[in-house]
Amino acid sequence: MVIDVLTDKNLTIEAKAIYVYIIYFSSFEIYPSVEKMCNDLNIGHERLLKHRRLLEKYGYIKIIRNKENGRYGKNKYEV
C-alpha cells in the first residue's frame, strides 16, 4: 500500500519517488525502461538502481526480468 511506503523510515525519498512512479505506470500495465525512469525522474542510472534495490529489499516490489533473444528486455514490476 502506498501509505506504507511513504511512512517507511527504511526508505529514502528517492525510493519513495521511484515506487510512486512504478505504481502509476504499472496500473496501466506499462513498464518503462530504466533509461526512461532515469530521464523522467531526473536521476542517474546507478542512483536509480541503488534506491530501487531498497524497494526490493523491503518487499515493496518484485522485478520480473524478461529475456528476449537471450538478452534482457524490459522489466515488469509486481507491487
Side-chain angles (χ1 to χ4, degrees):
M1 200 167 192
V2 174
I3 193 68
D4 296 330
V5 171
L6 296 178
T7 59
D8 190 331
K9 301 287 186 204
N10 295 307
L11 298 177
T12 61
I13 189 69
E14 291 93 336
K16 294 173 184 184
I18 292 165
Y19 182 79
V20 171
Y21 183 91
I22 290 171
I23 283 281
Y24 174 76
F25 281 101
S26 66
S27 68
F28 301 105
E29 294 189 26
I30 297 171
Y31 305 98
S33 66
V34 169
E35 290 76 22
K36 177 161 177 48
M37 291 170 69
C38 289
N39 187 49
D40 290 347
L41 296 171
N42 196 28
I43 189 172
H45 186 265
E46 290 301 317
R47 188 173 173 194
L48 179 113
L49 297 180
K50 173 185 171 184
H51 297 286
R52 190 182 69 174
R53 279 191 290 272
L54 287 174
L55 295 168
E56 284 184 281
K57 178 180 177 180
Y58 291 106
Y60 291 109
I61 64 170
K62 178 179 178 185
I63 300 172
I64 301 162
R65 291 171 173 82
N66 294 316
K67 280 197 172 185
E68 299 169 358
N69 299 324
R71 299 180 66 194
Y72 284 108
K74 286 187 179 178
N75 296 326
K76 291 185 178 181
Y77 298 90
E78 276 184 19
V79 291

mmCIF file of all heavy atoms in Angstrom, residues 1 4-12 15-16 19 50-63 78-79:
data_model
loop_
_atom_site.group_PDB
_atom_site.id
_atom_site.type_symbol
_atom_site.label_atom_id
_atom_site.label_comp_id
_atom_site.label_asym_id
_atom_site.label_seq_id
_atom_site.Cartn_x
_atom_site.Cartn_y
_atom_site.Cartn_z
ATOM 1 N N MET A 1 0.840 -1.178 0.000
ATOM 2 C CA MET A 1 0.000 0.000 0.000
ATOM 3 C C MET A 1 0.890 1.249 0.000
ATOM 4 O O MET A 1 1.918 1.287 0.655
ATOM 5 C CB MET A 1 -0.888 -0.044 1.242
ATOM 6 C CG MET A 1 -2.080 0.796 1.141
ATOM 7 S SD MET A 1 -3.225 0.381 2.483
ATOM 8 C CE MET A 1 -4.575 1.243 1.845
ATOM 9 N N ASP A 4 2.070 2.819 3.302
ATOM 10 C CA ASP A 4 3.126 2.073 3.990
ATOM 11 C C ASP A 4 4.500 2.479 3.476
ATOM 12 O O ASP A 4 5.436 2.644 4.249
ATOM 13 C CB ASP A 4 2.921 0.564 3.810
ATOM 14 C CG ASP A 4 1.646 0.064 4.459
ATOM 15 O OD1 ASP A 4 1.210 0.653 5.470
ATOM 16 O OD2 ASP A 4 1.075 -0.912 3.939
ATOM 17 N N VAL A 5 4.610 2.627 2.166
ATOM 18 C CA VAL A 5 5.882 3.032 1.573
ATOM 19 C C VAL A 5 6.246 4.442 2.004
ATOM 20 O O VAL A 5 7.372 4.716 2.398
ATOM 21 C CB VAL A 5 5.817 2.938 0.028
ATOM 22 C CG1 VAL A 5 7.040 3.564 -0.614
ATOM 23 C CG2 VAL A 5 5.670 1.489 -0.399
ATOM 24 N N LEU A 6 5.282 5.333 1.944
ATOM 25 C CA LEU A 6 5.568 6.740 2.249
ATOM 26 C C LEU A 6 5.948 6.971 3.701
ATOM 27 O O LEU A 6 6.636 7.940 4.012
ATOM 28 C CB LEU A 6 4.369 7.609 1.864
ATOM 29 C CG LEU A 6 4.041 7.635 0.375
ATOM 30 C CD1 LEU A 6 2.806 8.488 0.128
ATOM 31 C CD2 LEU A 6 5.213 8.110 -0.452
ATOM 32 N N THR A 7 5.532 6.093 4.592
ATOM 33 C CA THR A 7 5.844 6.272 6.015
ATOM 34 C C THR A 7 6.955 5.337 6.501
ATOM 35 O O THR A 7 7.319 5.395 7.663
ATOM 36 C CB THR A 7 4.583 6.046 6.876
ATOM 37 O OG1 THR A 7 4.081 4.729 6.646
ATOM 38 C CG2 THR A 7 3.517 7.084 6.552
ATOM 39 N N ASP A 8 7.506 4.525 5.620
ATOM 40 C CA ASP A 8 8.570 3.582 5.993
ATOM 41 C C ASP A 8 9.893 4.330 6.169
ATOM 42 O O ASP A 8 10.429 4.888 5.220
ATOM 43 C CB ASP A 8 8.709 2.494 4.937
ATOM 44 C CG ASP A 8 9.615 1.354 5.359
ATOM 45 O OD1 ASP A 8 10.542 1.576 6.158
ATOM 46 O OD2 ASP A 8 9.385 0.228 4.884
ATOM 47 N N LYS A 9 10.413 4.322 7.372
ATOM 48 C CA LYS A 9 11.660 5.049 7.690
ATOM 49 C C LYS A 9 12.892 4.386 7.082
ATOM 50 O O LYS A 9 13.972 4.981 7.053
ATOM 51 C CB LYS A 9 11.845 5.147 9.210
ATOM 52 C CG LYS A 9 10.708 5.854 9.920
ATOM 53 C CD LYS A 9 10.732 7.326 9.679
ATOM 54 C CE LYS A 9 9.670 7.990 10.530
ATOM 55 N NZ LYS A 9 9.233 9.239 10.024
ATOM 56 N N ASN A 10 12.762 3.137 6.599
ATOM 57 C CA ASN A 10 13.887 2.443 5.973
ATOM 58 C C ASN A 10 14.131 2.906 4.544
ATOM 59 O O ASN A 10 15.172 2.603 3.973
ATOM 60 C CB ASN A 10 13.643 0.925 5.964
ATOM 61 C CG ASN A 10 13.597 0.352 7.344
ATOM 62 O OD1 ASN A 10 14.507 0.545 8.143
ATOM 63 N ND2 ASN A 10 12.522 -0.344 7.659
ATOM 64 N N LEU A 11 13.166 3.605 3.972
ATOM 65 C CA LEU A 11 13.270 4.018 2.580
ATOM 66 C C LEU A 11 13.709 5.465 2.451
ATOM 67 O O LEU A 11 13.335 6.314 3.253
ATOM 68 C CB LEU A 11 11.918 3.839 1.880
ATOM 69 C CG LEU A 11 11.368 2.422 1.807
ATOM 70 C CD1 LEU A 11 10.000 2.423 1.143
ATOM 71 C CD2 LEU A 11 12.315 1.487 1.089
ATOM 72 N N THR A 12 14.461 5.724 1.411
ATOM 73 C CA THR A 12 14.895 7.086 1.099
ATOM 74 C C THR A 12 13.794 7.801 0.324
ATOM 75 O O THR A 12 12.878 7.167 -0.213
ATOM 76 C CB THR A 12 16.162 7.045 0.224
ATOM 77 O OG1 THR A 12 15.838 6.348 -0.996
ATOM 78 C CG2 THR A 12 17.318 6.352 0.930
ATOM 79 N N ALA A 15 13.689 6.379 -3.139
ATOM 80 C CA ALA A 15 12.987 5.098 -3.242
ATOM 81 C C ALA A 15 11.476 5.322 -3.258
ATOM 82 O O ALA A 15 10.743 4.670 -4.013
ATOM 83 C CB ALA A 15 13.382 4.169 -2.093
ATOM 84 N N LYS A 16 11.013 6.232 -2.442
ATOM 85 C CA LYS A 16 9.579 6.526 -2.389
ATOM 86 C C LYS A 16 9.087 7.111 -3.710
ATOM 87 O O LYS A 16 8.023 6.740 -4.199
ATOM 88 C CB LYS A 16 9.278 7.467 -1.223
ATOM 89 C CG LYS A 16 9.534 6.801 0.124
ATOM 90 C CD LYS A 16 9.416 7.764 1.280
ATOM 91 C CE LYS A 16 9.793 7.063 2.591
ATOM 92 N NZ LYS A 16 9.600 7.913 3.756
ATOM 93 N N TYR A 19 8.936 4.336 -6.266
ATOM 94 C CA TYR A 19 7.777 3.480 -6.006
ATOM 95 C C TYR A 19 6.494 4.098 -6.576
ATOM 96 O O TYR A 19 5.730 3.438 -7.259
ATOM 97 C CB TYR A 19 7.623 3.226 -4.511
ATOM 98 C CG TYR A 19 6.471 2.312 -4.188
ATOM 99 C CD1 TYR A 19 6.600 0.930 -4.343
ATOM 100 C CD2 TYR A 19 5.259 2.800 -3.741
ATOM 101 C CE1 TYR A 19 5.544 0.076 -4.057
ATOM 102 C CE2 TYR A 19 4.195 1.952 -3.453
ATOM 103 C CZ TYR A 19 4.352 0.594 -3.616
ATOM 104 O OH TYR A 19 3.303 -0.244 -3.337
ATOM 105 N N LYS A 50 20.271 1.872 -7.033
ATOM 106 C CA LYS A 50 20.535 1.820 -5.593
ATOM 107 C C LYS A 50 19.229 1.943 -4.794
ATOM 108 O O LYS A 50 18.964 1.161 -3.883
ATOM 109 C CB LYS A 50 21.493 2.942 -5.196
ATOM 110 C CG LYS A 50 21.706 3.096 -3.723
ATOM 111 C CD LYS A 50 22.571 4.318 -3.414
ATOM 112 C CE LYS A 50 22.611 4.604 -1.942
ATOM 113 N NZ LYS A 50 23.356 5.835 -1.646
ATOM 114 N N HIS A 51 18.413 2.893 -5.138
ATOM 115 C CA HIS A 51 17.183 3.143 -4.383
ATOM 116 C C HIS A 51 16.074 2.154 -4.753
ATOM 117 O O HIS A 51 15.254 1.806 -3.901
ATOM 118 C CB HIS A 51 16.744 4.595 -4.565
ATOM 119 C CG HIS A 51 17.762 5.547 -4.023
ATOM 120 N ND1 HIS A 51 17.947 5.737 -2.670
ATOM 121 C CD2 HIS A 51 18.680 6.326 -4.637
ATOM 122 C CE1 HIS A 51 18.931 6.605 -2.484
ATOM 123 N NE2 HIS A 51 19.384 6.978 -3.659
ATOM 124 N N ARG A 52 16.091 1.657 -5.979
ATOM 125 C CA ARG A 52 15.135 0.623 -6.370
ATOM 126 C C ARG A 52 15.401 -0.672 -5.608
ATOM 127 O O ARG A 52 14.475 -1.397 -5.242
ATOM 128 C CB ARG A 52 15.207 0.396 -7.887
ATOM 129 C CG ARG A 52 14.083 -0.483 -8.413
ATOM 130 C CD ARG A 52 14.204 -0.720 -9.881
ATOM 131 N NE ARG A 52 15.365 -1.556 -10.164
ATOM 132 C CZ ARG A 52 15.669 -2.030 -11.363
ATOM 133 N NH1 ARG A 52 14.917 -1.720 -12.401
ATOM 134 N NH2 ARG A 52 16.735 -2.776 -11.542
ATOM 135 N N ARG A 53 16.693 -0.947 -5.338
ATOM 136 C CA ARG A 53 17.050 -2.139 -4.547
ATOM 137 C C ARG A 53 16.451 -2.088 -3.146
ATOM 138 O O ARG A 53 16.105 -3.124 -2.583
ATOM 139 C CB ARG A 53 18.567 -2.303 -4.473
ATOM 140 C CG ARG A 53 19.166 -2.950 -5.695
ATOM 141 C CD ARG A 53 20.621 -3.354 -5.499
ATOM 142 N NE ARG A 53 21.528 -2.231 -5.408
ATOM 143 C CZ ARG A 53 22.108 -1.644 -6.445
ATOM 144 N NH1 ARG A 53 21.867 -2.061 -7.669
ATOM 145 N NH2 ARG A 53 22.928 -0.633 -6.274
ATOM 146 N N LEU A 54 16.321 -0.904 -2.572
ATOM 147 C CA LEU A 54 15.676 -0.786 -1.259
ATOM 148 C C LEU A 54 14.225 -1.256 -1.324
ATOM 149 O O LEU A 54 13.745 -1.925 -0.403
ATOM 150 C CB LEU A 54 15.722 0.663 -0.758
ATOM 151 C CG LEU A 54 17.051 1.197 -0.287
ATOM 152 C CD1 LEU A 54 16.929 2.693 0.038
ATOM 153 C CD2 LEU A 54 17.537 0.430 0.938
ATOM 154 N N LEU A 55 13.540 -0.899 -2.390
ATOM 155 C CA LEU A 55 12.148 -1.323 -2.550
ATOM 156 C C LEU A 55 12.048 -2.841 -2.666
ATOM 157 O O LEU A 55 11.139 -3.453 -2.113
ATOM 158 C CB LEU A 55 11.528 -0.658 -3.778
ATOM 159 C CG LEU A 55 11.384 0.857 -3.705
ATOM 160 C CD1 LEU A 55 11.036 1.433 -5.069
ATOM 161 C CD2 LEU A 55 10.349 1.256 -2.660
ATOM 162 N N GLU A 56 13.025 -3.451 -3.334
ATOM 163 C CA GLU A 56 13.070 -4.912 -3.419
ATOM 164 C C GLU A 56 13.390 -5.522 -2.053
ATOM 165 O O GLU A 56 12.726 -6.464 -1.628
ATOM 166 C CB GLU A 56 14.149 -5.365 -4.402
ATOM 167 C CG GLU A 56 13.799 -5.217 -5.846
ATOM 168 C CD GLU A 56 14.896 -5.798 -6.711
ATOM 169 O OE1 GLU A 56 15.931 -5.115 -6.900
ATOM 170 O OE2 GLU A 56 14.721 -6.929 -7.178
ATOM 171 N N LYS A 57 14.383 -4.966 -1.400
ATOM 172 C CA LYS A 57 14.830 -5.494 -0.108
ATOM 173 C C LYS A 57 13.701 -5.541 0.912
ATOM 174 O O LYS A 57 13.569 -6.514 1.652
ATOM 175 C CB LYS A 57 15.975 -4.626 0.427
ATOM 176 C CG LYS A 57 16.490 -5.035 1.788
ATOM 177 C CD LYS A 57 17.619 -4.131 2.257
ATOM 178 C CE LYS A 57 18.076 -4.501 3.652
ATOM 179 N NZ LYS A 57 19.172 -3.640 4.113
ATOM 180 N N TYR A 58 12.894 -4.520 0.950
ATOM 181 C CA TYR A 58 11.821 -4.448 1.948
ATOM 182 C C TYR A 58 10.489 -4.993 1.427
ATOM 183 O O TYR A 58 9.463 -4.863 2.089
ATOM 184 C CB TYR A 58 11.685 -3.013 2.475
ATOM 185 C CG TYR A 58 12.888 -2.635 3.298
ATOM 186 C CD1 TYR A 58 13.855 -1.769 2.806
ATOM 187 C CD2 TYR A 58 13.092 -3.200 4.557
ATOM 188 C CE1 TYR A 58 14.982 -1.452 3.552
ATOM 189 C CE2 TYR A 58 14.219 -2.894 5.299
ATOM 190 C CZ TYR A 58 15.159 -2.023 4.791
ATOM 191 O OH TYR A 58 16.282 -1.725 5.533
ATOM 192 N N GLY A 59 10.524 -5.621 0.249
ATOM 193 C CA GLY A 59 9.362 -6.347 -0.254
ATOM 194 C C GLY A 59 8.263 -5.515 -0.887
ATOM 195 O O GLY A 59 7.141 -6.003 -1.055
ATOM 196 N N TYR A 60 8.563 -4.286 -1.264
ATOM 197 C CA TYR A 60 7.540 -3.444 -1.877
ATOM 198 C C TYR A 60 7.372 -3.710 -3.371
ATOM 199 O O TYR A 60 6.297 -3.492 -3.919
ATOM 200 C CB TYR A 60 7.832 -1.969 -1.638
ATOM 201 C CG TYR A 60 7.655 -1.581 -0.201
ATOM 202 C CD1 TYR A 60 8.749 -1.271 0.603
ATOM 203 C CD2 TYR A 60 6.393 -1.545 0.384
ATOM 204 C CE1 TYR A 60 8.594 -0.920 1.936
ATOM 205 C CE2 TYR A 60 6.219 -1.207 1.712
ATOM 206 C CZ TYR A 60 7.324 -0.896 2.485
ATOM 207 O OH TYR A 60 7.168 -0.555 3.802
ATOM 208 N N ILE A 61 8.437 -4.149 -4.013
ATOM 209 C CA ILE A 61 8.349 -4.502 -5.429
ATOM 210 C C ILE A 61 9.099 -5.805 -5.669
ATOM 211 O O ILE A 61 10.006 -6.172 -4.918
ATOM 212 C CB ILE A 61 8.919 -3.413 -6.371
ATOM 213 C CG1 ILE A 61 10.422 -3.216 -6.153
ATOM 214 C CG2 ILE A 61 8.150 -2.115 -6.256
ATOM 215 C CD1 ILE A 61 11.092 -2.349 -7.205
ATOM 216 N N LYS A 62 8.691 -6.471 -6.729
ATOM 217 C CA LYS A 62 9.425 -7.631 -7.233
ATOM 218 C C LYS A 62 9.662 -7.353 -8.707
ATOM 219 O O LYS A 62 8.729 -6.981 -9.429
ATOM 220 C CB LYS A 62 8.615 -8.908 -7.059
ATOM 221 C CG LYS A 62 9.309 -10.126 -7.601
ATOM 222 C CD LYS A 62 8.483 -11.385 -7.399
ATOM 223 C CE LYS A 62 9.211 -12.560 -8.014
ATOM 224 N NZ LYS A 62 8.406 -13.778 -7.940
ATOM 225 N N ILE A 63 10.910 -7.486 -9.124
ATOM 226 C CA ILE A 63 11.256 -7.220 -10.513
ATOM 227 C C ILE A 63 11.234 -8.536 -11.277
ATOM 228 O O ILE A 63 11.877 -9.501 -10.880
ATOM 229 C CB ILE A 63 12.639 -6.550 -10.627
ATOM 230 C CG1 ILE A 63 12.630 -5.222 -9.874
ATOM 231 C CG2 ILE A 63 13.011 -6.348 -12.097
ATOM 232 C CD1 ILE A 63 13.981 -4.572 -9.771
ATOM 233 N N GLU A 78 6.058 -6.268 -9.996
ATOM 234 C CA GLU A 78 4.936 -6.645 -9.141
ATOM 235 C C GLU A 78 4.998 -5.740 -7.924
ATOM 236 O O GLU A 78 6.046 -5.610 -7.302
ATOM 237 C CB GLU A 78 5.059 -8.101 -8.671
ATOM 238 C CG GLU A 78 4.547 -9.110 -9.631
ATOM 239 C CD GLU A 78 4.613 -10.507 -9.067
ATOM 240 O OE1 GLU A 78 4.725 -10.692 -7.828
ATOM 241 O OE2 GLU A 78 4.576 -11.442 -9.870
ATOM 242 N N VAL A 79 3.892 -5.113 -7.600
ATOM 243 C CA VAL A 79 3.865 -4.229 -6.437
ATOM 244 C C VAL A 79 2.910 -4.753 -5.386
ATOM 245 O O VAL A 79 2.038 -5.521 -5.657
ATOM 246 C CB VAL A 79 3.483 -2.792 -6.831
ATOM 247 C CG1 VAL A 79 4.581 -2.150 -7.636
ATOM 248 C CG2 VAL A 79 2.199 -2.748 -7.606
#
